[in-house]
């Protein structure tokens, strides 16, 4: 690969405990995390970025405040932490979660922010501003935050691929419909579909 070309980036969407086994646990979540960590280890030159829901207790997406969802990923709680397997299993230090490569979203209590496109890290860098042209996306949940992240990146002109075995989902049928719809929109689906 020429030096002037950035390595492909992987965006790992919202692989947090509330979505893996907590208040909004998704189907295929443990398998998705295992696949993603293996994929990262197989691609040591990959730029890895993690998005994370980062809500205050007053977030308007929560049922008790008129939203759709039970409380989840509340800032500085165990449910908001990224799955520990990213720390345990990934070989390269630069690819493990860190202050530089975790990008937070859903910080504004009044905005339902599914997409990680505008998520920011601790230094205030915006995710889409630091990504190379070719981006692979995986994570949770296929029909919601993953879908909206992929659509936003695609609309902005990135070459987006979706890593199917690295996806968890709320509902299998809706997940399959989502993959079919994204494929129709020109998104490349990598790997065997669930």
């Amino acid at each position: 690969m020429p030096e002037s070309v950035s390595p492909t980036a992987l965006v790992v969407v919202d692989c947090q405990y509330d979505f893996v086994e907590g208040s909004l646990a998704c189907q295929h979540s443990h398998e998705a995390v295992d696949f993603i960590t293996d994929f990262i280890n197989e691609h040591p030159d990959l730029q890895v970025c993690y998005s994370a829901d980062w809500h205050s207790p007053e977030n308007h997406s929560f049922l008790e405040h008129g939203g759709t969802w039970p409380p989840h990923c509340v800032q500085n709680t165990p449910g908001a932490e990224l799955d520990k397997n990213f720390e345990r299993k990934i070989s390269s230090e630069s690819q493990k979660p860190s202050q530089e490569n975790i990008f937070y979203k859903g910080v504004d209590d009044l905005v339902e922010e599914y997409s990680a496109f505008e998520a920011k890290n601790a230094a205030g860098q915006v995710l889409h501003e630091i990504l190379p042209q070719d981006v692979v996306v995986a994570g949770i949940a296929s029909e919601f935050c993953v879908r909206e992240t992929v659509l936003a990146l695609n609309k902005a002109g990135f070459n987006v691929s979706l890593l199917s075995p690295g996806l968890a989902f709320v509902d299998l049928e809706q997940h399959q419909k989502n993959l079919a719809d994204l494929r129709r929109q020109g998104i490349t689906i990598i790997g065997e579909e669930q």
Side-chain angles (χ1 to χ4, degrees):
M1 182 180 290
E3 285 184 22
S4 60
V5 178
S6 298
T8 299
L10 172 68
V11 175
V12 181
V13 177
D14 298 4
C15 287
Q16 296 160 273
Y17 274 112
D18 273 341
F19 298 131
V20 174
E21 55 190 29
S23 62
L24 274 170
C26 290
Q27 299 177 53
H28 200 256
S29 57
H30 288 288
E31 296 90 340
V33 169
D34 286 344
F35 184 89
I36 294 167
T37 56
D38 288 345
F39 183 84
I40 291 170
N41 285 331
E42 289 163 10
H43 298 83
D45 295 328
L46 201 61
Q47 175 188 348
V48 181
C49 299
Y50 301 86
S51 77
D53 262 3
W54 199 246
H55 300 315
S56 88
E58 314 306 318
N59 193 276
H60 283 224
S61 73
F62 296 166
L63 285 167
E64 64 200 74
H65 303 301
T68 310
W69 307 105
H72 61 276
C73 301
V74 174
Q75 298 169 9
N76 302 310
T77 65
E81 293 178 6
L82 291 175
D83 191 300
K84 288 286 187 273
N85 284 312
F86 292 107
E87 181 65 37
R88 289 190 196 115
K89 292 188 173 181
I90 293 173
S91 302
S92 170
E93 285 298 322
S94 67
Q95 294 178 312
K96 293 180 179 185
S98 68
Q99 278 204 321
E100 289 76 33
N101 66 14
I102 300 176
F103 292 79
Y104 298 99
K105 64 189 185 67
V107 177
D108 187 332
D109 289 335
L110 303 179
V111 177
E112 180 71 272
E113 190 176 15
Y114 289 136
S115 171
F117 188 76
E118 297 283 356
K120 294 179 181 177
N121 67 6
Q125 291 178 302
V126 180
L127 178 62
H128 72 85
E129 294 176 358
I130 59 92
L131 291 173
Q133 185 65 25
D134 298 311
V135 183
V136 181
V137 179
I140 308 173
S142 166
E143 317 97 301
F144 295 98
C145 296
V146 171
R147 173 183 172 81
E148 295 305 321
T149 299
V150 166
L151 289 174
L153 288 166
N154 187 52
K155 184 178 179 181
F158 289 87
N159 298 325
V160 191
S161 302
L162 193 55
L163 197 59
S164 179
L167 297 175
F169 39 86
V170 176
D171 178 83
L172 178 58
E173 184 178 346
Q174 294 304 313
H175 162 63
Q176 291 170 336
K177 286 181 179 177
N178 176 48
L179 291 185
D181 180 63
L182 292 176
R183 186 182 289 104
R184 278 193 297 272
Q185 296 191 53
I187 306 300
T188 301
I189 310 291
I190 301 172
E192 294 298 314
E193 296 179 19
Q194 295 92 351

